[in-house]
């Protein structure tokens, strides 16, 4: 695998160097626009964010603004709302990812065995994942969860549970936002795992059947180990997105009632743009970045460990 | 034999429940958009009703029209797509095919930018855009959308560029074609399919974005995902109109999703780790 240009000049060193240099220059000019844009829209904001997190910066009271060093972080560590939002984040992420992967895997196994109708699943599964979480949140908040005529509440009434205040009760609100996120993204786990199942070699199963392995043994000893890379990949991807979920909660409960469904991401947003404390909000966003890095580090370590 | 039948029946029933659960909220919104408010609010929920297009007429041309917001969404999404592709195609080609020092680091950097939570980008960007007067402008929103669309597009395109055989390029060089000419005439036509798929997903992600849009939009530029909130207020909810707006907001992405059906797993797996603004 030698790139064109470089390979031509291997016999004469000077020509090779000239061509390699020309290739490098060409590469740089192709990369420059995208990398300048990425620097401007990601790296530069990160620096600026760390800088603002060391300031007292309040859009409602600009006269009190000023450098305060690590004061925001000291406040953060003693802030009960920060710790509760971190806990909500972990519950939301842990439960939605677990549900997506187990339901997605179960359904993929089930559909894999179907002789007809697989196409329907592949088609229908696309619908939730291409939708905007903002639209999904709105639909659930109104047509699904509204008292009485909302379909979920209607079913609850008919099941003898009675009409519930789905988004007004702290526990039910938390369950609701978890269910909504799971509803939207289980098809994602399903599609990825189904594709990965379909690529497994058939002959291993044949051998296992000849050895009279039970269905459970086949799943436990063959399917699961072979699917492990795909499962871990889905877990990593879904965890990153769940940690920074925004629209799916904001449109449904806006973090409420109170702070019952306020994940850390939402707290950072509310602090910055509702309560207008940009400095402290920046510190919360930096804390979220650190949490994201720590959790993804743990997950990547899990991927490497066999 | 009977046990097998029972098992088959149970499996089919579970499968049917999943299919129904996924499709129902979408179908239900569609049905509600064809109802009057009274029919939406009926208890028990009505499956049979006389359909009307009144809600669509109101949200498209009536007093609470969201037509400007739909146009905003299209301008933002198309603008983001064009600028992203102009930058991502050359960058992806360089990362996939050329040899230069620092290539591994460059690839890693594109991935690493995705670790940054969007809320950590929008806080500083809000301050900057406010200073230069770019809040509530297309350039402000499109610029910040590059933060998630570029890494996504670059990585998706790299996977397509890597599939082309090297011989094609070498033949072109031997004919004396310049690098740029080869890229344009020989390589790009080879990855046309990959470029089309990338365009679909970049558009889709831009259309669905919400956090940046809700912070940066105003009276001039407000995409439909944000404008939807006008229909749900403390005083009253405009049920049928909200349903109609939801359907209109879903329509383009559902169509694109079905068009890109075969590539959706690839687009999603590149997208979720390596980009994707929809949280």
């Amino acid at each position: 695998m030698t790139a064109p240009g470089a390979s031509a000049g291997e016999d004469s060193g000077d020509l090779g160097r000239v061509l390699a240099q020309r290739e490098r220059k060409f590469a740089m000019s192709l990369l420059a626009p995208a990398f300048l844009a990425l620097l401007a829209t990601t790296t530069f904001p990160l620096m600026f964010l760390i800088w603002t997190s060391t300031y007292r910066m309040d859009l409602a009271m600009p006269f009190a603004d000023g450098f305060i060093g690590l004061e925001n972080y000291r406040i953060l560590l003693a802030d009960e709302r920060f710790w509760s939002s971190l806990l909500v984040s972990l519950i939301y992420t842990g439960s939605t990812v677990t549900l997506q992967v187990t339901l997605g895997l179960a359904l993929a196994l089930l559909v894999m065995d179907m002789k007809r109708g697989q196409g329907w699943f592949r088609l229908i599964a696309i619908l939730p994942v291409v939708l905007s979480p903002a639209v999904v949140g709105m639909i659930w908040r109104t047509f699904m969860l509204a008292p009485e005529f909302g379909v979920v509440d209607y079913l609850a009434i008919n099941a003898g549970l009675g009409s519930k205040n789905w988004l007004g009760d702290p526990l039910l609100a938390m369950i609701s936002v978890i269910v909504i996120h799971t509803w939207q993204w289980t098809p994602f786990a399903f599609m990825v795992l189904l594709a990965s199942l379909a690529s497994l070699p058939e002959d291993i199963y044949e051998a296992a059947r000849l050895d009279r392995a039970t269905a459970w043994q086949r799943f436990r000893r063959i399917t699961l180990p072979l699917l492990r890379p795909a499962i871990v990949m889905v877990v990593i991807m879904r965890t990153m997105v769940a940690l920074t979920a925004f629209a799916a909660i904001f449109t449904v409960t806006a973090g409420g009632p109170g702070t019952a469904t306020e994940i850390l991401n939402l707290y950072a947003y509310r602090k910055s743009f509702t309560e207008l404390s940009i400095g402290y909000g920046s510190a919360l966003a930096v804390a979220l970045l650190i949490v994201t890095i720590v959790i993804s580090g743990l997950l990547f370590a899990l991927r490497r460990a066999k | 034999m009977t046990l097998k039948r029972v098992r088959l029946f149970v499996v089919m029933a579970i499968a049917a429940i999943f299919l129904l659960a996924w499709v129902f909220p979408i179908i239900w919104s569609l049905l509600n958009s064809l109802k009057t408010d009274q029919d939406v609010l009926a208890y028990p929920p009505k499956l049979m009703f006389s359909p009307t297009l009144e809600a669509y007429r109101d949200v498209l041309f009536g007093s609470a029209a969201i037509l400007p917001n739909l146009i905003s969404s299209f301008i933002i999404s198309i603008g983001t797509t064009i600028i992203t592709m102009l930058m991502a195609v050359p960058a992806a080609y360089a990362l996939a095919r050329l040899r230069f020092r620092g290539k591994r680091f460059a690839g890693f950097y594109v991935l690493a930018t995705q670790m940054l939570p969007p809320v950590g980008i929008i806080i500083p960007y809000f301050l900057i855009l406010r200073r230069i007067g770019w809040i509530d402008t297309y350039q402000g929103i499109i610029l910040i959308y590059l933060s998630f669309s570029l890494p996504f597009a670059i990585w998706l395109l790299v996977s397509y560029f890597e599939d082309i055989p090297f011989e094609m390029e070498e033949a072109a060089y031997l004919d004396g074609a310049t690098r740029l000419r080869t890229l344009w005439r020989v390589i790009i036509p080879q990855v046309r399919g990959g470029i089309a798929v990338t365009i679909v997903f970049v558009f889709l992600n831009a259309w669905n974005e919400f956090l940046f849009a809700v912070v940066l939009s105003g009276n001039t530029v407000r995409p439909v995902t944000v404008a939807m909130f006008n229909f749900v207020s403390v005083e009253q909810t405009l049920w049928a109109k909200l349903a109609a707006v939801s359907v209109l907001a879903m329509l383009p992405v559902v169509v694109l999703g079905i068009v890109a059906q075969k590539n959706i797993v690839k687009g999603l797996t590149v997208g979720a780790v390596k980009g994707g603004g929809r949280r």
Side-chain angles (χ1 to χ4, degrees), chain B residues 252-263:
Chain B
V253 286
V254 167
V255 170
L256 287 177
I258 290 172
V259 167
Q261 189 184 358
K262 292 224 156 49
N263 300 289

Side-chain angles (χ1 to χ4, degrees), chain B residues 145 148 152 200-209 271 275-278:
Chain B
Y145 275 19
F148 63 83
F152 169 79
V200 165
F201 281 102
V202 170
F203 181 95
L204 206 143
N205 286 335
W207 182 275
N208 286 338
E209 205 286 331
R278 296 173 297 134

Side-chain angles (χ1 to χ4, degrees), chain A residues 134-163:
Chain A
V135 177
V136 168
M138 270 310 210
I139 290 173
W140 277 84
R141 168 181 164 181
T142 53
F143 306 122
M144 301 302 286
L145 294 174
E148 294 196 359
F149 70 93
V151 175
V152 173
D153 202 46
Y154 170 75
L155 292 175
I157 293 169
N158 277 290
L161 298 170
S163 179

Side-chain angles (χ1 to χ4, degrees), chain A residues 4 6 23 40-41 43-45 48 126 129-130 132 138-139 141 143 149 151 154 183 187 237 244 247 265 272 296, chain B residues 15 21-22 28-29 32 40-41 44-45 99 109 113 115 119 123-125 128 143 173 208 228 232 261 269 273 278-279:
Chain A
E23 179 159 345
T41 57
T43 308
F44 171 64
F48 199 76
I126 292 172
V129 301
V130 297
S132 167
M138 270 310 210
I139 290 173
R141 168 181 164 181
F143 306 122
F149 70 93
V151 175
Y154 170 75
W183 175 84
M237 293 192 307
T244 52
N265 190 41
S272 308
S296 62
Chain B
W22 279 339
W28 190 239
S29 310
N32 278 341
V40 175
L41 293 168
R99 293 201 307 184
Y109 172 72
T113 56
M115 294 288 279
V119 73
I123 293 171
Y125 243 82
I128 296 164
L143 178 65
Y173 291 131
N208 286 338
M228 253 185 351
V232 189
Q261 189 184 358
T269 46
V273 150
R278 296 173 297 134
R279 312 269 171 168

Side-chain angles (χ1 to χ4, degrees), chain A residues 24-43:
Chain A
R24 197 177 55 105
K25 265 192 187 152
F26 185 54
M28 292 306 142
S29 59
L30 292 181
L31 287 170
F35 274 73
L36 285 177
L38 273 182
L39 277 172
T41 57
T42 60
T43 308

Side-chain angles (χ1 to χ4, degrees), chain A residues 176-192:
Chain A
S176 298
V177 292
I178 288 171
V179 167
I180 294 169
H181 191 95
T182 306
W183 175 84
Q184 181 166 23
W185 297 108
T186 297
F188 169 84
F190 163 72
M191 283 191 286
V192 174

Side-chain angles (χ1 to χ4, degrees), chain A:
Chain A
M1 286 264 287
T2 49
S7 63
E10 247 143 45
D11 30 56
S12 69
D14 273 354
L15 182 62
R17 213 171 307 134
V18 169
L19 285 174
Q21 202 173 24
R22 208 177 280 169
E23 179 159 345
R24 197 177 55 105
K25 265 192 187 152
F26 185 54
M28 292 306 142
S29 59
L30 292 181
L31 287 170
F35 274 73
L36 285 177
L38 273 182
L39 277 172
T41 57
T42 60
T43 308
F44 171 64
L46 175 63
M47 310 286 200
F48 199 76
L49 179 77
I50 293 170
W51 183 74
T52 52
S53 77
T54 62
Y55 270 72
R56 184 192 159 89
M57 195 181 286
D58 210 321
L59 294 181
M61 294 188 291
F63 49 84
D65 291 358
F67 181 76
I68 52 168
L70 295 176
E71 183 67 11
N72 280 328
Y73 292 95
R74 212 184 49 74
I75 298 170
L76 182 146
L77 290 175
D79 179 2
E80 260 177 51
R81 195 171 156 198
F82 163 70
W83 292 107
S84 96
S85 71
L86 184 59
L87 181 66
V88 175
S89 279
L90 295 179
I91 295 173
Y92 180 78
T93 305
S95 57
T96 53
V97 173
T98 309
L99 282 169
Q100 287 168 60
V101 172
T102 42
L103 289 175
L105 178 59
L107 197 64
L109 289 167
L110 196 149
V111 169
M112 199 61 197
D113 273 347
M114 284 171 53
K115 288 181 185 62
R116 275 182 302 168
Q118 282 199 15
W120 280 105
F121 278 88
R122 291 174 200 272
L123 185 69
I124 300 283
I126 292 172
L127 298 178
V129 301
V130 297
L131 299 182
S132 167
V135 177
V136 168
M138 270 310 210
I139 290 173
W140 277 84
R141 168 181 164 181
T142 53
F143 306 122
M144 301 302 286
L145 294 174
E148 294 196 359
F149 70 93
V151 175
V152 173
D153 202 46
Y154 170 75
L155 292 175
I157 293 169
N158 277 290
L161 298 170
S163 179
K164 302 273 183 202
N165 193 355
W166 294 99
L167 302 175
D169 174 81
L171 179 64
L172 285 177
M174 189 65 195
I175 293 173
S176 298
V177 292
I178 288 171
V179 167
I180 294 169
H181 191 95
T182 306
W183 175 84
Q184 181 166 23
W185 297 108
T186 297
F188 169 84
F190 163 72
M191 283 191 286
V192 174
L193 295 176
L194 184 67
S196 162
L197 265 179
S199 68
L200 296 187
E202 192 66 36
D203 41 346
I204 305 183
Y205 289 95
E206 225 29 75
R209 215 165 281 134
L210 291 177
D211 286 345
R212 307 215 165 184
T214 63
W216 172 251
Q217 280 173 328
R218 266 178 283 152
F219 171 72
R220 189 70 191 74
R221 306 263 168 215
I222 305 174
T223 313
L224 211 50
L226 287 174
L227 276 187
R228 193 170 178 276
I231 293 174
V232 175
M233 181 183 75
V234 171
V235 168
I236 293 174
M237 293 192 307
R238 298 320 308 165
T239 302
M240 295 298 108
V241 176
L243 277 174
T244 52
F246 180 75
I249 300 178
F250 183 82
T251 53
V252 181
T253 63
T259 55
T261 56
E262 186 178 75
I263 66 172
L264 180 51
N265 190 41
L266 207 54
Y267 183 28
Y269 170 86
R270 274 173 138 185
K271 201 70 190 175
S272 308
F273 297 108
T274 312
E275 298 167 33
L276 302 177
S277 298
I278 295 270
Y280 188 56
S282 302
L284 288 169
V286 172
L288 175 61
L289 173 63
I290 293 168
V291 170
T292 309
I293 290 173
V294 169
I295 291 181
S296 62
L298 290 175
L299 289 174
F300 275 105
L302 182 81
R303 184 165 80 165
R304 255 174 260 120
K306 285 271 166 172

